[in-house]
């Protein structure tokens, strides 16, 4: 016993070593989609419903989504590389949005209004003026980015439409 009445007490608490060790989760488990920048120096990706961009070699990973109350899907770069498009479920239904990649605090621009269905696949035209996307209703739609108008151009009676690819001149779409 010490002079002030306090003395150390030896105590053992049984625990497994894994409780003390650092924990790491596999990022591949949560990766939903990725898209390489048109100039090839960075990547945009969706993980756990949030949008991020990150340079390949130097620089930090930047989050572009407002938080867990909004879920992002299908990030694709526009041809200039300054913006990307994605699907966002704000207001409880999906919409296509455009986001400034240089300003993570900027509000996204809504490209669609109304019910476009649940987006299954999406492809940006090489000239950056149109977006082709398909939905769960087996529809293929094309959105004109400038006018923000979209049209259903085809419907499948049998299965979902996916694996879309634009011609280099953006005049044709194969699917």
């Amino acid at each position: 016993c010490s002079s002030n009445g306090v003395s150390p007490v030896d105590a053992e608490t049984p625990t497994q070593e894994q409780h003390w060790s650092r924990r790491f989760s596999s990022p591949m488990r949560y990766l939903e989609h990725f898209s390489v920048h048109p100039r090839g120096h960075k990547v945009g990706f969706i993980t756990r419903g949030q949008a991020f961009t990150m340079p390949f070699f130097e620089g930090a990973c930047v989050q572009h989504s407002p938080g867990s109350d909004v879920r992002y899907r299908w990030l694709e770069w526009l041809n200039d590389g300054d913006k990307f498009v994605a699907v966002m479920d704000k207001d409880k239904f999906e919409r296509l949005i455009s986001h400034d990649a240089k300003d993570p605090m900027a509000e996204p621009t809504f490209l669609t209004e109304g019910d476009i269905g649940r987006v299954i696949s999406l492809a940006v035209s090489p000239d950056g003026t149109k977006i082709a996307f398909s939905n769960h209703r087996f529809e293929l739609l094309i959105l004109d980015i400038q006018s923000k108008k979209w049209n259903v151009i085809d419907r499948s009676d049998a299965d979902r439409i996916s694996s879309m690819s634009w011609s280099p001149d953006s005049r044709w779409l194969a699917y």
Side-chain angles (χ1 to χ4, degrees):
C1 190
S2 66
S3 61
N4 63 359
V6 177
S7 62
V9 176
D10 289 331
E12 288 187 28
T13 56
T15 184
Q16 297 175 359
E17 187 175 323
Q18 65 187 5
H19 292 292
W20 291 96
S21 63
R22 293 175 64 185
R23 293 185 189 104
F24 298 95
S25 62
S26 170
M28 293 306 292
R29 181 175 171 192
Y30 302 106
L31 181 66
E32 298 171 24
H33 182 77
F34 72 92
S35 178
V36 177
H37 190 277
R39 291 189 280 288
H41 66 283
K42 67 170 67 172
V43 66
F45 58 94
I46 306 289
T47 182
R48 299 185 77 165
Q50 303 303 304
F52 297 88
T53 57
M54 181 175 72
F56 282 128
F57 301 105
E58 293 181 10
C61 182
V62 178
Q63 183 173 355
H64 294 275
S65 43
S68 60
D69 60 332
V70 174
R71 184 166 185 80
Y72 279 73
R73 295 187 321 110
W74 293 109
L75 184 149
E76 294 291 338
W77 293 96
L78 291 177
N79 66 337
D80 62 3
D82 293 334
K83 293 183 179 181
F84 61 82
V85 294
V87 177
M88 173 196 258
D89 71 353
K90 187 174 183 177
D91 302 324
K92 308 301 182 228
F93 61 93
E94 291 192 345
R95 293 192 272 188
L96 290 173
I97 56 109
S98 171
H99 208 298
D100 185 352
K102 294 181 179 180
D103 184 5
M105 302 308 290
E107 287 291 317
T109 302
F110 292 103
L111 300 176
T112 58
E113 294 294 332
D115 185 12
I116 60 171
R118 179 155 172 82
V119 176
I120 301 300
S121 179
L122 127 86
V124 177
S125 65
D127 66 4
T129 61
K130 298 181 228 37
I131 301 171
F133 61 100
S134 62
N135 63 22
H136 73 290
R137 298 182 199 125
F138 304 169
E139 297 172 329
L140 177 62
L141 304 93
I142 293 186
L143 166 75
D144 181 282
I145 294 174
Q146 188 70 24
S147 69
K148 298 183 181 177
K149 292 185 178 169
W150 51 272
N151 293 310
V152 177
I153 62 163
D154 198 4
R155 261 187 199 89
S156 171
D157 294 329
D159 202 2
R160 292 178 173 169
I161 299 170
S162 61
S163 302
M164 298 168 288
S165 183
W166 287 94
S167 65
D169 63 359
S170 300
R171 292 181 55 204
W172 301 96
L173 179 67
Y175 56 96

